[in-house]
């Protein structure tokens, strides 16, 4: 009996060294056929252009379902995140070791709140 297996999709990470290391130790690290990784380690000297390029590159890849990004890094490319309106890949902002999560800055959460009224939850 032949089985057709559908290829799974990946999680991409844009984060500081500690965040990326944690996810890589958890097993998310992959290279696609073009030998492109599914993560970007960002430090103080990483140009905004490189962060945005990696983000837009992850959005275009058909093997990525979720993009995790440290919220402090997301703030640097907020305009790019705000312009992403597709459900897949989902963009999820996460805290870093040095900065707690702030729901008021999260683009996706703000958009989701706008879809519901308080009466929807009664």
């Amino acid at each position: 009996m032949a089985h057709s297996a559908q290829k799974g999709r990946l999680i991409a990470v844009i984060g500081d060294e500690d965040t990326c290391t944690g996810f890589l130790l958890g097993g998310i690290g992959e290279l696609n056929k073009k030998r492109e990784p599914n993560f970007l380690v960002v430090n103080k000297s990483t140009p905004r252009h490189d962060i945005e390029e990696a983000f837009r590159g992850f959005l275009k890849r058909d093997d990525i379902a979720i993009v995790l990004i440290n919220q402090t890094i997301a703030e640097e490319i907020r305009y790019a995140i705000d312009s992403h309106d597709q459900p897949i890949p989902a963009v999820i902002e996460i805290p870093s070791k040095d900065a707690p999560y702030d729901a008021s800055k999260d683009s996706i959460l703000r958009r989701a709140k706008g879809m519901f009224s308080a009466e929807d939850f009664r």
Side-chain angles (χ1 to χ4, degrees):
M1 177 185 272
H3 294 283
S4 63
Q6 183 177 359
K7 184 180 175 194
R9 290 196 171 186
L10 304 174
I11 295 173
V13 179
I14 300 174
D16 59 25
E17 186 174 12
D18 290 336
T19 299
C20 288
T21 299
F23 279 102
L24 290 171
L25 288 171
I28 67 108
E30 297 283 340
L31 295 175
N32 66 8
K33 292 176 184 172
K34 296 178 185 175
R35 309 285 301 155
E36 298 167 325
N38 62 329
F39 62 93
L40 174 69
V41 178
V42 176
N43 58 39
K44 290 177 182 164
S45 63
T46 304
R48 178 180 289 149
H49 170 76
D50 291 357
I51 299 167
E52 182 179 352
E53 192 173 277
F55 176 73
R56 293 194 189 278
F58 292 151
L59 296 182
K60 291 177 186 171
R61 286 176 50 174
D62 62 0
D63 62 338
I64 293 180
I66 298 171
V67 178
L68 299 177
I69 184 168
N70 283 135
Q71 192 170 51
T72 53
I73 298 166
E75 283 298 305
E76 294 187 42
I77 60 164
R78 180 61 59 203
Y79 53 90
I81 292 172
D82 286 346
S83 70
H84 176 62
D85 60 359
Q86 300 300 309
I88 296 179
V91 178
I92 301 173
E93 295 181 29
I94 60 175
S96 65
K97 183 175 78 171
D98 301 325
Y101 175 78
D102 181 352
S104 68
K105 294 180 180 177
D106 191 321
S107 300
I108 305 302
L109 189 59
R110 279 196 321 260
R111 229 181 282 166
K113 281 183 178 179
M115 297 171 68
F116 301 101
S117 69
E119 293 169 9
D120 294 333
F121 298 105
R122 290 185 184 166

